[in-house]
Amino acid sequence: MIEIVEKLNLASISVPLIILIVSLWVLIGSVLLPVEKRHFTGIISFFGLIASLLYLWGIKDADITGFGNAVSLNGFSIFLWFIILAITLSVISVSQRFVEDAEIQQGEYNFFLLIATTGLLFIVASQDLIMIFISLEILSLSVYILAGIRRTSAGAESALKYFILGSLGAGMLVMGIALIYGSTGTVNISMLKILLQRVDKTPVLLAGIIFVVSGLAFKVALVPFHMWVPDVYEGSPTPVSGFMAGGVKAGGVIALLRVFNALPFEPYSELFWWLSAITMITGNLMALPQTSIKRILAYSSVAHAGYMMIGFLGGESGAGAVIFYIIVYAASTMGAFFVVMLLERMETGTTLEDIAGLSKRHPYLSAVMAVFLFSLAGIPPLAGFFGKFYIFASAVAQGYTGLVIIGVIMSVVSLYYYLRIIVAMYMEETVIELIPREYKSVRFVVFILMLISILFGLLSDPVISSARAVVKYLM
Amino acid sequence: MDYLFSNIITIVIFLPLAGAIILIFFPKDKTNLIKNFAFLVSIATFILSLFLYSGYDELSPEMQFVVNLAWLREFGSSYHVGIDGISLFMVILTTFLTPISILSSYNYIKEKEKEYYISLLLLETGMNGVFVALDMLLFYLFWEAMLIPMYIIIGVWGGPRRIYAAVKFFIYTMIGSVLMLVAILVIYFLHQKQTGIYSFNIFDFYNTSIPAEYQLLMFLAFALAFAIKVPMFPFHTWLPDAHVEAPTAGSVILAGVLLKMGVYGFIRFAVPLFPEVALELAPYIALLGVIGIIYGSLVAWSQQDVKKLVAYSSVAHLGAVMLGLFSYNVAGVEGAILQMVNHGLSTGALFLLVGMLYERRHTRMIDDYGGIARVVPVFSAFFMIVMLSSIGLPGLNGFVGEFLILFGAFQRFPVLAILGVSGVILSAVYMLSMYQRVVFGKLVHEENKKMKDVNLREWLYMLPVLIMIVFIGLYPSPFLKKMEVSVKQYLTYTLKNAQIQKIQPPVENKMEKEIQE
């Protein structure tokens, strides 16, 4: 028995284990604590996350594998664990008061958020397809619940839609894995990388690969697998939408990146070329006519997944650029969602009309929101520009100039809908006197995210260097 | 002190930014404090930039005051700035016009003052950065970053159609520049393949040999970005909207500095990077310049709104600048650069005067004025000088620039130059008829009788401009001398490199000689 445990090498999953234990404490707390003291679950989660970040700092040079090569703890997973824990930490910190005011079960909320985080942590560390599938499902199932945790009709609709389409994606993914396993006899990604170069391209194998890519494309919300995004992002509680746009998307992108790297470059790169192009074009064009800010941000998150796909084609430096992009994109998009959260009325969300003339009454909030939006649009000197720049540069280096031209033109298109929000805040007259929520913790988190959105670009040298260093483990 | 002096460029770029950051912490309602602080910062920047002028060695063709610090090491991008005889004038023009536009906004801007002055100072940092950056990435950064404050200035403090104008301005200029970014990246990787070194240094870019089949496309990518900014016909449609809707200071900066960034881009980037394509396309670009002159003048003639008239006159003037630049000789290029400065002064001043009219009467329609010479004599005199300088009357600055441009253009494109001369005539037609209808004639409108003449603050910001207008008109040689070596260097470089790769047409031999003389 002890031998088996030793073989498993539990140290390789130490951080997800810590989060799992914290989440169990939260669960117990949410049952045992009286209703008025349930905010302790938030405090437990917060300090649990802080503790695991500190622990992660302590083991930052580790390089071990466990569970029969299914999980690996190396520079790459550690770097991404930092990002994921930071994302969850910010979501947990901004949610507590909001959850209380929205009359959401606080204990359950924190529990599922932590479980989702565990799933995310596993995804980035997984070394085989089964592990990716399982961790994606851990993540997805908890996010389905989070999407509908507010028991309104919009929440229920969003959860159901997400669940049905997400299950379809999961079904495709597992089907694809089965087909690949049937043709090659392995699910280990590094083994696959070698085998796929050698085995014949049978229709079964091809179908398996297409299924796996489509299944993951569902999770990342690449066009044409994006239909659930706007409704789900709109119907979910806003901090959860932020978590989906920042965290869940990051997990999906990393899983897809792993699969992409295992595939032979030809002919699959062409598949990703097209996925990227139609995702950018559709996402950006669909965002243009929206009037709800959450829907605009939802479509923008679709479009940004398209930009990240460009980086896939950029080889090793492209992968590094994608990691960097995940950081700056998560900071800006979550920041934007959090500002929306401060402004929205509980039931209806926020429309462009609601924020008209906001800058007159709330100059700070509008300025912060403008920073996030300009960063998402990729205007220098903000971090979003550098994210796009590194991705585009890596793709141009590999000769994908055509795709990059589509990318830059679509960024100009995206500018239009981001500007619409800024126009409403700065240049239109007030229609409705919105009273933003006075959550101190949110203001603090939003301020940090703003600093990241401003400074990570100009001072990006250390970040991009370490992102490029850690992707060596992927290759 | 030496340390400060060697980093003076950095201070000139970032002092306004520092001022803007400090302004954030000022209480919102202390508007006088905010205004005066912003003004002091911009004046300090101007004074510091004069050290650039006095310390500039006019005999050396090298970049001067160079600062080169590592920035993004892995990408070979660095904080690399410096000036030559061309950017020197652009920087000083920027630092000269910013305090003037700040001063002119004291009464014009009545709401959100703090944000306004922050935007203006940020804008100054962006503009200075564009003119001194010697690193392609750094240049692109400033080039784009400057759009945000300009967009906000037009969109928040502009006229009734400000939102449309601001969004159009932003998206229009953005479309041009993103394609340039792709072209920059292509050259960057070509250079890396040829030398194995990652570098965004502009001089490394110059030395990269670019396959002939890409050259045209990439030149067009650069040229589009700059042509939109200039704005060259037919890419000028954003300009009238932006100019008319922007607040006075916005128009002054827009006309005075932003348009120059396009021309400067041609001089520093598009032409030296692709010398042979540029030379080949020179006649077409010059033709577009001449079309711009004639079209801009004709449209200006038909305007009822003074500000629109001035805006279209910008299209015409910048067309002339492009004509001079692409005639590839010392006279033409020097004229173009001097004319950029002149246009910054005289069109900037025209916008200031229109702003004064608007502040007094809240209308810009020509028909709402008439006969105001008796009511506001000083104003009318100012207006007269500025208007004549814009037309190009000998003795004032406009004449020197236009003369040099036409002189240079005549040697290379005689027909275009002759057509270009018509621009001078047309500008006299529309300017004089506008002036006559606004200032002379009978005082028909009752409201105009109570107009107040120029006050102390207005004296303060108009006087420096007027002095410069007369000074350059009478004695342009110190300016021409400062830029001469750099202009010759630019011409030798672009012509020589064009010759290496192509058998050159006979015209160029003559020009080579002229340059050596």
Side-chain angles (χ1 to χ4, degrees), chain A residues 246-265:
Chain A
V248 179
K249 178 144 295 187
V253 168
I254 296 297
L256 199 54
L257 185 60
R258 271 193 189 275
V259 172
F260 176 79
N261 280 325
L263 299 176
F265 200 69

Side-chain angles (χ1 to χ4, degrees), chain B residues 122-143:
Chain B
L122 289 180
L123 193 60
E124 188 178 9
T125 290
M127 296 184 301
N128 282 336
V130 166
F131 290 129
V132 301
L134 297 178
D135 179 282
M136 289 302 287
L137 186 59
L138 191 70
F139 161 76
Y140 188 81
L141 207 73
F142 282 121
W143 171 269

Side-chain angles (χ1 to χ4, degrees), chain A residues 52-293:
Chain A
S52 35
L53 273 171
L54 291 176
Y55 175 75
L56 195 55
W57 185 253
I59 59 162
K60 66 180 188 306
D61 300 319
D63 191 356
I64 45 178
T65 55
F67 290 81
N69 271 340
V71 185
S72 69
L73 174 64
N74 53 28
F76 179 77
S77 38
I78 290 171
F79 190 76
L80 277 147
W81 283 356
F82 268 115
I83 302 172
I84 291 165
L85 290 175
I87 288 174
T88 312
L89 190 65
S90 63
V91 176
I92 290 265
S93 329
V94 298
S95 317
Q96 299 309 319
R97 289 277 305 280
F98 175 83
V99 168
E100 249 174 74
D101 290 353
E103 290 169 1
I104 293 170
Q105 294 284 347
Q106 213 167 355
E108 288 170 18
Y109 178 90
N110 291 327
F111 171 70
F112 285 117
L113 208 50
L114 288 174
I115 291 290
T117 308
T118 320
L120 269 176
L121 295 173
F122 274 124
I123 290 176
V124 298
S126 29
Q127 294 296 324
D128 72 32
L129 292 175
I130 296 292
M131 193 64 201
I132 287 185
F133 173 72
I134 294 173
S135 28
L136 259 179
E137 282 314 287
I138 298 176
L139 168 69
S140 302
L141 285 169
S142 2
V143 180
Y144 300 148
I145 299 171
L146 283 173
I149 203 161
R150 194 167 46 171
R151 290 173 195 165
T152 57
S153 67
E157 186 197 334
S158 117
L160 196 64
K161 212 170 222 172
Y162 195 12
F163 176 66
I164 292 172
L165 286 170
S167 308
L168 183 63
M172 287 168 91
L173 181 57
V174 79
M175 179 79 188
I177 294 172
L179 291 177
I180 289 178
Y181 182 71
S183 330
T184 61
T186 183
V187 285
N188 183 291
I189 289 177
S190 28
M191 289 285 281
L192 269 179
K193 187 168 182 159
I194 301 161
L195 280 174
L196 285 176
Q197 304 280 0
R198 295 186 188 160
V199 297
D200 295 335
K201 286 189 191 70
T202 58
V204 175
L205 178 63
L206 206 64
I209 289 170
I210 300 279
F211 271 134
V212 167
V213 171
S214 318
L216 290 173
F218 258 108
K219 307 284 173 186
V220 186
L222 296 179
V223 178
F225 307 104
H226 69 291
M227 276 79 91
W228 54 275
V229 172
D231 292 332
V232 172
Y233 278 42
E234 195 185 23
S236 308
T238 311
V240 176
S241 316
F243 182 68
M244 286 174 187
V248 179
K249 178 144 295 187
V253 168
I254 296 297
L256 199 54
L257 185 60
R258 271 193 189 275
V259 172
F260 176 79
N261 280 325
L263 299 176
F265 200 69
E266 291 298 329
Y268 301 103
S269 60
E270 199 167 334
L271 180 68
F272 281 80
W273 196 102
W274 282 104
L275 275 176
S276 166
I278 53 173
T279 304
M280 288 186 295
I281 294 172
T282 316
N284 281 314
L285 292 183
M286 293 292 282
L288 290 176
Q290 306 299 329
T291 52
S292 153
I293 294 175

Side-chain angles (χ1 to χ4, degrees), chain B residues 240 243-244 251 299-314 347 349-358 363-370 372 379 383 387 430-431 433-439:
Chain B
H243 262 323
V244 171
S251 302
V299 178
W301 193 3
S302 66
Q303 296 305 320
Q304 292 304 312
D305 181 333
V306 189
K307 208 171 180 185
K308 247 187 182 155
L309 184 145
V310 180
Y312 276 105
S313 83
S314 280
T347 307
L350 278 175
F351 278 119
L352 289 172
L353 291 163
V354 175
M356 289 181 198
L357 279 181
Y358 187 77
T363 169
R364 292 188 302 252
M365 292 297 148
I366 296 176
D367 292 339
D368 290 334
Y369 297 94
I372 59 173
F379 174 88
F383 203 176
M387 182 228 15
Y430 64 77
M431 276 292 170
S433 72
M434 181 270 287
Y435 186 76
Q436 183 193 1
R437 284 164 67 195
V438 169
V439 175

Side-chain angles (χ1 to χ4, degrees), chain A residues 386 457-459 461, chain B residues 69-73 77-79 137-138 141:
Chain A
F386 286 87
L458 291 172
L459 311 174
D461 206 30
Chain B
L69 303 169
W71 176 35
L72 303 172
R73 286 192 182 80
S77 178
S78 50
Y79 173 74
L137 186 59
L138 191 70
L141 207 73

Side-chain angles (χ1 to χ4, degrees), chain B residues 82-302:
Chain B
I83 54 167
D84 66 356
I86 300 165
S87 46
L88 173 69
F89 287 99
M90 298 297 109
V91 171
I92 292 177
L93 184 65
T94 311
T95 55
F96 177 72
L97 285 177
T98 306
I100 288 174
S101 30
I102 288 180
L103 208 55
S104 77
S105 313
Y106 269 34
N107 283 347
Y108 191 86
I109 301 299
K110 296 239 163 62
E111 56 173 8
K112 297 187 197 158
E113 275 117 325
K114 188 168 114 180
E115 286 86 345
Y116 178 81
Y117 293 103
I118 290 175
S119 306
L120 267 183
L121 289 176
L122 289 180
L123 193 60
E124 188 178 9
T125 290
M127 296 184 301
N128 282 336
V130 166
F131 290 129
V132 301
L134 297 178
D135 179 282
M136 289 302 287
L137 186 59
L138 191 70
F139 161 76
Y140 188 81
L141 207 73
F142 282 121
W143 171 269
E144 291 276 271
M146 172 228 81
L147 291 180
I148 300 179
M150 194 67 227
Y151 159 74
I152 290 177
I153 288 174
I154 299 174
V156 176
W157 296 277
R161 284 171 70 241
R162 59 186 194 276
I163 296 174
Y164 170 78
V167 173
K168 190 171 176 183
F169 162 76
F170 204 150
I171 289 185
Y172 221 117
T173 38
M174 189 83 181
I175 291 174
S177 22
V178 290
L179 292 176
M180 176 171 76
L181 178 65
V182 179
I184 291 176
L185 283 173
V186 172
I187 303 176
Y188 169 71
F189 285 110
L190 277 175
H191 176 258
Q192 192 265 331
K193 271 189 197 125
Q194 286 163 14
T195 62
I197 301 164
Y198 286 111
S199 167
F200 275 105
N201 188 324
I202 172 76
F203 301 109
D204 288 338
F205 271 52
Y206 284 176
N207 294 329
T208 309
S209 63
I210 297 158
E213 66 267 29
Y214 295 158
Q215 287 206 5
L216 180 66
L217 274 178
M218 281 161 63
F219 174 77
L220 289 180
F222 273 87
L224 180 68
F226 299 138
I228 289 176
K229 236 351 174 283
V230 169
M232 257 162 75
F233 179 87
F235 306 108
H236 64 282
T237 56
W238 63 270
L239 179 100
D241 287 311
H243 262 323
V244 171
E245 299 307 322
T248 302
S251 302
V252 173
I253 300 276
L254 207 55
V257 185
L258 254 72
L259 308 188
K260 311 308 168 341
M261 287 171 34
V263 185
Y264 175 78
F266 274 104
I267 299 176
R268 178 72 75 233
F269 303 102
V271 177
L273 281 175
F274 313 96
E276 56 273 41
V277 185
L279 192 63
E280 218 168 290
L281 292 183
Y284 303 100
I285 297 176
L287 177 67
L288 283 180
V290 171
I291 295 177
I293 298 177
I294 296 169
Y295 169 86
S297 310
L298 288 177
V299 178
W301 193 3
S302 66

